[in-house]
Amino acid sequence: MVNIDSLMALCLLPLFDKSLSMMSLVEYWQKFRPFNPLTGNPVEKIEVFHLLQTLLLVFHDFDLIMLETQY
């Protein structure tokens, strides 16, 4: 079972329309969730990257999405 909050789901909506690079998804995330709701501090790109990476890998493990790597 995968449990995500509504803001996290909102940040993943663009993936229904087209493929996005990880950095594009990070930037989209920061538009809608620029601050940590617990601390009120700005969310750093690396923090968002790791959070999205973890979430997308879980979705991939459940065969909900396909991930593409580029070298």
Side-chain angles (χ1 to χ4, degrees), residues 11 20-33 43-53:
C11 293
L20 291 173
S21 70
M22 194 64 167
M23 290 315 293
S24 295
L25 204 53
V26 166
E27 290 169 4
Y28 186 80
W29 179 289
Q30 285 187 304
K31 286 181 190 176
F32 290 99
R33 202 172 197 170
V43 180
E44 299 293 325
K45 284 188 182 200
I46 191 72
E47 183 181 351
V48 175
F49 184 92
H50 288 298
L51 181 62
L52 282 171
Q53 182 181 37

Side-chain angles (χ1 to χ4, degrees), residues 12-23:
L12 296 176
L13 278 177
L15 292 176
F16 285 101
D17 293 329
K18 61 182 176 182
S19 298
L20 291 173
S21 70
M22 194 64 167
M23 290 315 293

